[in-house]
Structures are given as structure tokens and as C-alpha cells.
Amino acid sequence: QVQLVESGGGLVQPGGSLRLSCAASGSIFSINAMGWYRQAPGNQRELVAVITSGGSTNYADSVKGRFTISRDNAKNTVYLQMNSLRPEDTAVYYCNVKGLLSRGFSQVDFVSWAQGTQVTVSS
């Protein structure tokens, strides 16, 4: 199994910054994509940013130029640097990891979600 541990959420004023991190552990053979999603009350969960094993990134239009996703492959950790935060960024942020688990002499696909961390942008 895969365990994901998030950290870095909290309360910040508009225009402020926060950095989220998510560390994956377990019987991981390889990680393909790591990403961040968010869900505000009454809304569906939406993609914020994703980064592949090769370093390619994709962002939601609403966060382009303000958020930066990065990863440390050696630590199986993904980060989300959030700058110029706005009240509409308020949501629970979820880390998502996709890859392969080791199963004896074979590997199996996995998709794991973290428990979520609250980000609140308010004055």
C-alpha cells in the first residue's frame, strides 16, 4: 500500500503565500504523476496542478502564474508553492499520486489520495 502525508495548509491573508508538501511512502516501484486537486464547499473536486516523472507540468488556468508544482523524486515528495493567494483559492487541497507498486516479482498500478489539507484565504 501507499501512504501519503500532507502538510502546509492553513490560514493566510489575500496576497500571501503557502507551500504544501506531500510525501509518499510504501512499496512503491515507481511514481508516474503527482498532482494537487482542490475542492471548495459545494463544488466538485478540480485539478490544480500535476507533474509527471519527467518534469512536465500542467496547471489549471485559474492558478497559472501564481502556483508552482515541483517534485523531489528521491524523496517521493511533491510540493505546491502558492503565491498571490486569493479568497477563491480557499478549499481543501488533496495530493494525488499515480504509479506502480511492487508485488513480488511484478508491479501493479496504484492511485492514492491524501487526506486533504485546508487552505483558507481570508483577511
Side-chain angles (χ1 to χ4, degrees):
Q1 298 299 322
V2 176
Q3 295 79 44
L4 301 181
V5 177
E6 289 183 344
S7 61
L11 172 65
V12 64
Q13 292 186 343
S17 298
L18 282 175
R19 188 190 194 211
L20 306 181
S21 64
C22 174
S25 62
S27 302
I28 298 171
F29 179 81
S30 64
I31 292 178
N32 298 330
M34 307 182 84
W36 293 94
Y37 292 72
R38 67 186 181 187
Q39 187 168 17
N43 290 354
Q44 292 186 338
R45 191 172 297 188
E46 62 176 2
L47 173 69
V48 176
V50 64
I51 185 168
T52 68
S53 58
S56 298
T57 58
N58 189 36
Y59 295 91
D61 288 343
S62 59
V63 306
K64 284 181 180 176
R66 300 188 297 122
F67 291 10
T68 302
I69 189 170
S70 61
R71 63 189 282 177
D72 184 333
N73 290 331
K75 297 181 179 180
N76 287 340
T77 299
V78 62
Y79 305 96
L80 185 68
Q81 179 66 44
M82 304 184 291
N83 298 329
S84 302
L85 283 161
R86 305 167 180 169
E88 53 264 39
D89 295 318
T90 296
V92 178
Y93 284 69
Y94 297 90
C95 171
N96 173 269
V97 177
K98 301 174 183 176
L100 293 173
L101 281 175
S102 295
R103 281 289 184 265
F105 294 103
S106 62
Q107 298 85 42
V108 295
D109 293 320
F110 78 88
V111 179
S112 287
W113 290 92
Q115 76 282 0
T117 186
Q118 178 70 46
V119 172
T120 302
V121 185
S122 175
S123 55

